[in-house]
Structures are given as structure tokens and as C-alpha cells.
Amino acid sequence: MFALLAVLWGTSFMAIEVGLEVLPPALFAALRYDIAGLVLFGYALVAAEDWRPRGRDEWVVVFVGGALLIGVHFTLLFSGQRYVTSGVAAIVLSLSPVLTPLFAWTMLPEERLDFFGFLGVFLGLVGTVVIAVSSGSVGGQLLGVVLLFLAAASWAFGSVLVKRLPGNPPVAPMQAWMMLLGSGMLHIVSPLLGEPGLAQVAWSPLVVGALLFLAVLCSAVGFIIYFVLLDRIGAVEISLVSYAVPIVAAVSGWAVLGEDIGPATITGFLFILAGFAFMKYNALGPVVRDIGVRAGLVAPKHVSDRDPVPADD
């Protein structure tokens, strides 16, 4: 599920680039979540036990998620990506794992990082800086980077706050209501920013395809995966998907758009992967040992004489 989410969100930046050629950013994001919200709402009517949140606590979760994870986040993201490449946008947004522990430190004490966790965050940050500097575009496009940084902060804070709040509505209805609430906010923001309306958009099959890809796969399917993982592994660990997304974005850009992946980019990816390994060292340790035993590089662990021997059935 983690890998699928990284692929969907990593390739989404190419689709955003296509759509931004003819669609203004806030309106583009609003249309994306109009469609995604309706798709999820239809799914919730069929698959969920309850199609709407119940009680004040659940509605607060929906409002916070719709405002921070949809409305604020995607207004900043789509606006910032007008000034930078898709690869740089993905890289800047990968700072959310660095910001998430800062919010979780006071709001989610059970998810505080240990030394290896902070070392992993630091290595991931180093990797993003190496890639950003090697792109040669960050310095001349500071406004876009600032907007994307604020988008990452909105996502990190919103993820932690949704996890912290007492309400726990079913995933599909919650996602549908969040998306529809967020798209409503974006429709209000769009004219306030002076954006042109739908009548002035030069539609094409490619733009429609990009919009549907973003709405159905990256949003409807992707957000269900994200919140399932948020519940299972926590806000800090799921935020690590932001480290995998730039890798997918760079590889897809190279394969589809012919963008180069230079030595500095590869070095940055290695730092990011090392950071991910340190963040997950408790889970990866037994897996690495098992691989070593199978390869004959590590001696198998013997049962101690003092270990209890299971009784026969």
C-alpha cells in the first residue's frame, strides 16, 4: 500500500504540470476534488455502514481535514508548482516528514522519535537539499519554494491534528466529506485570487485525462490508502511517503518527459533512502538479518538452553 501510494502521488506531479498549462491553480484543485469527492461519496453509499459523520467530534475531524489537507494544502501546492519544475515541487513537499515530528512532539507524545529516528529525518533533509540545490532552479524561484514549504507545513500539521482529534469517522465517508468541503473552499478562493472561470479554459483530451487521473486515482484511491496507513502506522511514519514520492517523480519524469537524473540527484536519493532505513530500523533489522541468514552471510540464531521449549500438541 505504501509503494502504491508513492507511485500514485509521484506521478501526479506530471499530471499537474499538464493541467496547469490551461487551468488556474485553485480552480484546477477545486475540480480535482469535486470529482474525487463525488466518486468517494458514491463508494461510501455502497460500502460504508454510515454515509455521513455523526456527532460534533466527527464533523470537527472532517472540517479540519477538508480545510488543512485539501483547501489550504492544495491551494499552496498548485500555486507553488507554477514557478518550479515537478521534480523540485515533489522534493520541497518531501520536507513534511521533517515538519511532522515537530508538531507531533507536543500533540502525539506516543509517536516521538528516538535518536535513530531524528538521524533518519536529518539524512532525509540532507537528501532533499542536495537534490534541490543540484536542480539549479530553487534560487531563482523562491516564491514557488516558499509556497510549497507552506503546503508541506499545512499537510504535516493537518495530519497530526486529524490523528490527535477524538472523532474517528469511517474512512470512505470521511474522505468524501473532506474532499467536498475542501473543494468548496477552493471554489471560493479561486475568484478571490482573480482566476478566470471555466468558460475561459481551453479544454483538450490530454487535460481532461490529467484531471481524471488526479481525481480518481491520485485523490480518491490515494487518500483512502493514506488514511488507512495513518491509522495503522501513525502520522510520523506515513509522512515518510513524501521521501518516496520525489524518487517516483524523478524516474517518471526521466521516462516520460526525458528529464535527466544526474549524479547529484542520485546522491540525494541515497541520502533519502538511508534516512528511511534509520526511521524504520526496528522493522528493517529482522528482515535484513533473515536475508543474511538465507544468503549464508549471517549465522542463524540458536535457541538458548534457557529458552522455553514449546510443548507437544
Short mmCIF file of all heavy atoms in Angstrom, two decimals, residues 43-79:
data_model
loop_
_atom_site.label_atom_id
_atom_site.label_comp_id
_atom_site.label_asym_id
_atom_site.label_seq_id
_atom_site.Cartn_x
_atom_site.Cartn_y
_atom_site.Cartn_z
N TYR A 43 -18.97 5.65 -3.45
CA TYR A 43 -18.41 4.43 -2.85
C TYR A 43 -18.88 4.27 -1.41
O TYR A 43 -19.22 3.16 -0.97
CB TYR A 43 -16.88 4.48 -2.92
CG TYR A 43 -16.21 3.37 -2.16
CD1 TYR A 43 -16.12 2.09 -2.70
CD2 TYR A 43 -15.65 3.59 -0.90
CE1 TYR A 43 -15.50 1.06 -2.01
CE2 TYR A 43 -15.03 2.57 -0.20
CZ TYR A 43 -14.95 1.31 -0.75
OH TYR A 43 -14.36 0.29 -0.07
N ALA A 44 -18.92 5.38 -0.66
CA ALA A 44 -19.33 5.32 0.74
C ALA A 44 -20.79 4.89 0.87
O ALA A 44 -21.15 4.15 1.80
CB ALA A 44 -19.12 6.68 1.40
N LEU A 45 -21.64 5.33 -0.05
CA LEU A 45 -23.04 4.95 0.00
C LEU A 45 -23.22 3.43 -0.15
O LEU A 45 -24.15 2.84 0.42
CB LEU A 45 -23.83 5.67 -1.10
CG LEU A 45 -24.05 7.17 -0.92
CD1 LEU A 45 -24.73 7.75 -2.15
CD2 LEU A 45 -24.87 7.46 0.34
N VAL A 46 -22.32 2.81 -0.91
CA VAL A 46 -22.42 1.37 -1.16
C VAL A 46 -21.68 0.55 -0.11
O VAL A 46 -22.20 -0.46 0.39
CB VAL A 46 -21.87 1.03 -2.57
CG1 VAL A 46 -21.86 -0.47 -2.80
CG2 VAL A 46 -22.69 1.74 -3.64
N ALA A 47 -20.48 1.00 0.25
CA ALA A 47 -19.59 0.16 1.06
C ALA A 47 -19.58 0.48 2.54
O ALA A 47 -19.27 -0.39 3.36
CB ALA A 47 -18.17 0.26 0.51
N ALA A 48 -19.90 1.71 2.93
CA ALA A 48 -19.78 2.10 4.33
C ALA A 48 -21.08 1.87 5.09
O ALA A 48 -22.17 1.91 4.51
CB ALA A 48 -19.37 3.56 4.45
N GLU A 49 -20.96 1.62 6.38
CA GLU A 49 -22.14 1.42 7.20
C GLU A 49 -22.90 2.73 7.39
O GLU A 49 -24.13 2.73 7.55
CB GLU A 49 -21.74 0.85 8.56
CG GLU A 49 -21.14 -0.55 8.50
CD GLU A 49 -20.80 -1.09 9.86
OE1 GLU A 49 -21.03 -0.36 10.86
OE2 GLU A 49 -20.30 -2.23 9.95
N ASP A 50 -22.18 3.84 7.42
CA ASP A 50 -22.81 5.14 7.61
C ASP A 50 -22.23 6.10 6.59
O ASP A 50 -21.01 6.18 6.44
CB ASP A 50 -22.55 5.65 9.03
CG ASP A 50 -23.56 6.73 9.44
OD1 ASP A 50 -24.30 7.20 8.55
OD2 ASP A 50 -23.58 7.11 10.62
N TRP A 51 -23.07 6.82 5.88
CA TRP A 51 -22.60 7.66 4.78
C TRP A 51 -22.19 9.06 5.22
O TRP A 51 -21.68 9.82 4.42
CB TRP A 51 -23.68 7.76 3.71
CG TRP A 51 -24.97 8.38 4.20
CD1 TRP A 51 -26.00 7.74 4.80
CD2 TRP A 51 -25.34 9.76 4.12
NE1 TRP A 51 -26.99 8.62 5.12
CE2 TRP A 51 -26.62 9.87 4.70
CE3 TRP A 51 -24.71 10.90 3.61
CZ2 TRP A 51 -27.28 11.09 4.80
CZ3 TRP A 51 -25.39 12.11 3.71
CH2 TRP A 51 -26.65 12.20 4.29
N ARG A 52 -22.40 9.42 6.49
CA ARG A 52 -22.03 10.76 6.94
C ARG A 52 -21.49 10.71 8.36
O ARG A 52 -21.80 9.77 9.12
CB ARG A 52 -23.23 11.70 6.87
CG ARG A 52 -24.38 11.36 7.81
CD ARG A 52 -25.54 12.29 7.56
NE ARG A 52 -26.69 11.98 8.40
CZ ARG A 52 -26.90 12.50 9.60
NH1 ARG A 52 -26.01 13.32 10.12
NH2 ARG A 52 -27.99 12.17 10.29
N PRO A 53 -20.67 11.69 8.74
CA PRO A 53 -20.16 11.74 10.11
C PRO A 53 -21.31 11.92 11.10
O PRO A 53 -22.35 12.49 10.79
CB PRO A 53 -19.24 12.97 10.09
CG PRO A 53 -18.92 13.20 8.66
CD PRO A 53 -20.11 12.75 7.89
N ARG A 54 -21.08 11.41 12.31
CA ARG A 54 -22.07 11.51 13.37
C ARG A 54 -21.47 12.25 14.56
O ARG A 54 -20.39 11.91 15.02
CB ARG A 54 -22.52 10.12 13.83
CG ARG A 54 -23.20 9.29 12.76
CD ARG A 54 -24.58 9.83 12.45
NE ARG A 54 -25.28 8.99 11.46
CZ ARG A 54 -26.52 9.21 11.05
NH1 ARG A 54 -27.21 10.23 11.55
NH2 ARG A 54 -27.09 8.43 10.15
N GLY A 55 -22.16 13.25 15.05
CA GLY A 55 -21.72 13.94 16.24
C GLY A 55 -20.70 15.03 15.95
O GLY A 55 -20.10 15.12 14.87
N ARG A 56 -20.50 15.88 16.94
CA ARG A 56 -19.62 17.03 16.80
C ARG A 56 -18.17 16.63 16.55
O ARG A 56 -17.50 17.22 15.69
CB ARG A 56 -19.71 17.87 18.08
CG ARG A 56 -18.79 19.09 18.09
CD ARG A 56 -18.95 19.89 19.37
NE ARG A 56 -18.04 21.02 19.42
CZ ARG A 56 -16.80 20.94 19.87
NH1 ARG A 56 -16.32 19.79 20.33
NH2 ARG A 56 -16.02 22.01 19.87
N ASP A 57 -17.67 15.61 17.25
CA ASP A 57 -16.26 15.23 17.12
C ASP A 57 -15.92 14.79 15.70
O ASP A 57 -14.87 15.16 15.15
CB ASP A 57 -15.91 14.11 18.11
CG ASP A 57 -15.86 14.58 19.55
OD1 ASP A 57 -15.78 15.81 19.76
OD2 ASP A 57 -15.91 13.72 20.45
N GLU A 58 -16.79 14.01 15.09
CA GLU A 58 -16.52 13.54 13.73
C GLU A 58 -16.60 14.67 12.72
O GLU A 58 -15.82 14.71 11.77
CB GLU A 58 -17.49 12.42 13.37
CG GLU A 58 -17.26 11.14 14.18
CD GLU A 58 -18.05 9.96 13.66
OE1 GLU A 58 -18.84 10.14 12.70
OE2 GLU A 58 -17.88 8.85 14.20
N TRP A 59 -17.52 15.61 12.90
CA TRP A 59 -17.60 16.74 11.99
C TRP A 59 -16.39 17.66 12.13
O TRP A 59 -15.94 18.26 11.14
CB TRP A 59 -18.89 17.53 12.22
CG TRP A 59 -20.07 16.92 11.54
CD1 TRP A 59 -21.14 16.30 12.13
CD2 TRP A 59 -20.31 16.85 10.13
NE1 TRP A 59 -22.03 15.85 11.18
CE2 TRP A 59 -21.54 16.18 9.94
CE3 TRP A 59 -19.60 17.29 9.02
CZ2 TRP A 59 -22.07 15.94 8.68
CZ3 TRP A 59 -20.13 17.05 7.75
CH2 TRP A 59 -21.35 16.39 7.59
N VAL A 60 -15.84 17.77 13.34
CA VAL A 60 -14.63 18.58 13.53
C VAL A 60 -13.47 17.97 12.75
O VAL A 60 -12.68 18.69 12.11
CB VAL A 60 -14.28 18.70 15.03
CG1 VAL A 60 -12.88 19.29 15.22
CG2 VAL A 60 -15.31 19.57 15.75
N VAL A 61 -13.34 16.63 12.80
CA VAL A 61 -12.28 15.95 12.03
C VAL A 61 -12.45 16.24 10.54
O VAL A 61 -11.47 16.55 9.84
CB VAL A 61 -12.32 14.43 12.30
CG1 VAL A 61 -11.39 13.70 11.32
CG2 VAL A 61 -11.90 14.13 13.73
N VAL A 62 -13.66 16.15 10.03
CA VAL A 62 -13.92 16.42 8.61
C VAL A 62 -13.57 17.86 8.26
O VAL A 62 -12.94 18.13 7.23
CB VAL A 62 -15.39 16.12 8.28
CG1 VAL A 62 -15.75 16.65 6.90
CG2 VAL A 62 -15.64 14.62 8.33
N PHE A 63 -13.96 18.80 9.11
CA PHE A 63 -13.68 20.20 8.82
C PHE A 63 -12.18 20.48 8.82
O PHE A 63 -11.66 21.15 7.91
CB PHE A 63 -14.37 21.10 9.85
CG PHE A 63 -14.07 22.56 9.66
CD1 PHE A 63 -14.75 23.30 8.69
CD2 PHE A 63 -13.09 23.20 10.40
CE1 PHE A 63 -14.48 24.65 8.50
CE2 PHE A 63 -12.80 24.54 10.22
CZ PHE A 63 -13.50 25.26 9.27
N VAL A 64 -11.46 19.96 9.82
CA VAL A 64 -10.02 20.19 9.89
C VAL A 64 -9.32 19.56 8.69
O VAL A 64 -8.45 20.17 8.05
CB VAL A 64 -9.45 19.62 11.21
CG1 VAL A 64 -7.93 19.59 11.19
CG2 VAL A 64 -9.94 20.44 12.39
N GLY A 65 -9.68 18.31 8.35
CA GLY A 65 -9.07 17.65 7.21
C GLY A 65 -9.38 18.35 5.90
O GLY A 65 -8.50 18.53 5.06
N GLY A 66 -10.63 18.76 5.72
CA GLY A 66 -11.01 19.46 4.50
C GLY A 66 -10.29 20.79 4.35
O GLY A 66 -9.85 21.16 3.26
N ALA A 67 -10.15 21.52 5.48
CA ALA A 67 -9.52 22.84 5.43
C ALA A 67 -8.02 22.74 5.22
O ALA A 67 -7.46 23.40 4.33
CB ALA A 67 -9.83 23.60 6.72
N LEU A 68 -7.33 21.91 6.03
CA LEU A 68 -5.86 21.89 6.01
C LEU A 68 -5.30 20.94 4.95
O LEU A 68 -4.33 21.28 4.25
CB LEU A 68 -5.33 21.49 7.39
CG LEU A 68 -5.58 22.49 8.51
CD1 LEU A 68 -5.07 21.94 9.84
CD2 LEU A 68 -4.93 23.83 8.22
N LEU A 69 -5.86 19.73 4.84
CA LEU A 69 -5.30 18.73 3.93
C LEU A 69 -5.77 18.91 2.48
O LEU A 69 -5.13 18.39 1.56
CB LEU A 69 -5.66 17.31 4.40
CG LEU A 69 -5.15 16.93 5.78
CD1 LEU A 69 -5.57 15.51 6.14
CD2 LEU A 69 -3.63 17.06 5.88
N ILE A 70 -6.88 19.60 2.28
CA ILE A 70 -7.38 19.84 0.92
C ILE A 70 -7.30 21.32 0.56
O ILE A 70 -6.54 21.72 -0.32
CB ILE A 70 -8.84 19.34 0.77
CG1 ILE A 70 -8.96 17.87 1.18
CG2 ILE A 70 -9.31 19.55 -0.66
CD1 ILE A 70 -8.24 16.92 0.27
N GLY A 71 -8.08 22.14 1.24
CA GLY A 71 -8.19 23.55 0.86
C GLY A 71 -6.87 24.30 0.90
O GLY A 71 -6.37 24.78 -0.13
N VAL A 72 -6.27 24.40 2.07
CA VAL A 72 -5.03 25.17 2.23
C VAL A 72 -3.87 24.50 1.51
O VAL A 72 -3.13 25.13 0.75
CB VAL A 72 -4.70 25.36 3.72
CG1 VAL A 72 -3.35 26.06 3.89
CG2 VAL A 72 -5.80 26.16 4.41
N HIS A 73 -3.74 23.19 1.73
CA HIS A 73 -2.58 22.47 1.17
C HIS A 73 -2.53 22.57 -0.35
O HIS A 73 -1.50 22.92 -0.93
CB HIS A 73 -2.63 21.00 1.59
CG HIS A 73 -1.59 20.15 0.95
ND1 HIS A 73 -0.26 20.18 1.32
CD2 HIS A 73 -1.66 19.25 -0.07
CE1 HIS A 73 0.44 19.34 0.59
NE2 HIS A 73 -0.39 18.76 -0.27
N PHE A 74 -3.65 22.28 -1.03
CA PHE A 74 -3.60 22.22 -2.49
C PHE A 74 -3.67 23.60 -3.14
O PHE A 74 -3.21 23.76 -4.26
CB PHE A 74 -4.70 21.29 -3.01
CG PHE A 74 -4.34 19.84 -2.84
CD1 PHE A 74 -4.81 19.12 -1.77
CD2 PHE A 74 -3.49 19.23 -3.73
CE1 PHE A 74 -4.47 17.79 -1.60
CE2 PHE A 74 -3.12 17.90 -3.58
CZ PHE A 74 -3.62 17.18 -2.50
N THR A 75 -4.22 24.58 -2.45
CA THR A 75 -4.10 25.94 -2.97
C THR A 75 -2.63 26.35 -3.03
O THR A 75 -2.15 26.90 -4.04
CB THR A 75 -4.88 26.93 -2.09
OG1 THR A 75 -6.26 26.60 -2.13
CG2 THR A 75 -4.68 28.36 -2.59
N LEU A 76 -1.89 26.07 -1.96
CA LEU A 76 -0.47 26.40 -1.91
C LEU A 76 0.34 25.54 -2.87
O LEU A 76 1.25 26.03 -3.55
CB LEU A 76 0.06 26.24 -0.48
CG LEU A 76 -0.51 27.20 0.55
CD1 LEU A 76 -0.14 26.76 1.96
CD2 LEU A 76 0.01 28.62 0.30
N LEU A 77 0.01 24.25 -2.95
CA LEU A 77 0.77 23.34 -3.82
C LEU A 77 0.62 23.72 -5.29
O LEU A 77 1.62 23.88 -6.00
CB LEU A 77 0.29 21.90 -3.60
CG LEU A 77 1.07 20.76 -4.25
CD1 LEU A 77 0.76 19.45 -3.54
CD2 LEU A 77 0.76 20.60 -5.73
N PHE A 78 -0.61 23.88 -5.76
CA PHE A 78 -0.83 24.19 -7.16
C PHE A 78 -0.29 25.57 -7.51
O PHE A 78 0.22 25.79 -8.62
CB PHE A 78 -2.32 24.10 -7.51
CG PHE A 78 -2.81 22.71 -7.75
CD1 PHE A 78 -2.52 21.68 -6.86
CD2 PHE A 78 -3.57 22.40 -8.86
CE1 PHE A 78 -2.97 20.39 -7.08
CE2 PHE A 78 -4.03 21.11 -9.09
CZ PHE A 78 -3.73 20.10 -8.19
N SER A 79 -0.40 26.51 -6.57
CA SER A 79 0.15 27.85 -6.82
C SER A 79 1.67 27.80 -6.89
O SER A 79 2.29 28.42 -7.77
CB SER A 79 -0.30 28.81 -5.72
OG SER A 79 -1.70 28.94 -5.69
#
